[in-house]
Amino acid sequence: MAYVINDDCISCGSCEGECPVEAISMGDEHYVIDADLCTDCGTCVDACPVEAIHAE
């Protein structure tokens, strides 16, 4: 089960730098998580200041 970033994302980039497998990148409107790379570690959830990341 991968994590996803919802529309509450403010594109601050806090999550991208914390991802140990580099599964997070900037999408068209906000950051996105590549489900194929995500290891479900949850580090990004703790890094997000607006709680825009949740389990899929």
Side-chain angles (χ1 to χ4, degrees), residues 4-33:
V4 294
I5 302 175
N6 65 33
D7 290 338
D8 293 338
C9 176
I10 59 172
S11 299
C12 68
S14 295
C15 59
E16 183 180 28
E18 294 297 317
C19 182
V21 295
E22 299 179 356
I24 302 173
S25 61
M26 187 64 190
D28 291 337
E29 297 180 21
H30 56 72
Y31 281 88
V32 294
I33 300 174

Side-chain angles (χ1 to χ4, degrees), residues 1 7 9 24 45 47 51 53 56:
M1 173 175 59
D7 290 338
C9 176
I24 302 173
V45 175
E51 300 179 1
I53 304 172
E56 187 172 48

Side-chain angles (χ1 to χ4, degrees), residues 6 37 54:
N6 65 33
L37 295 176
H54 58 88

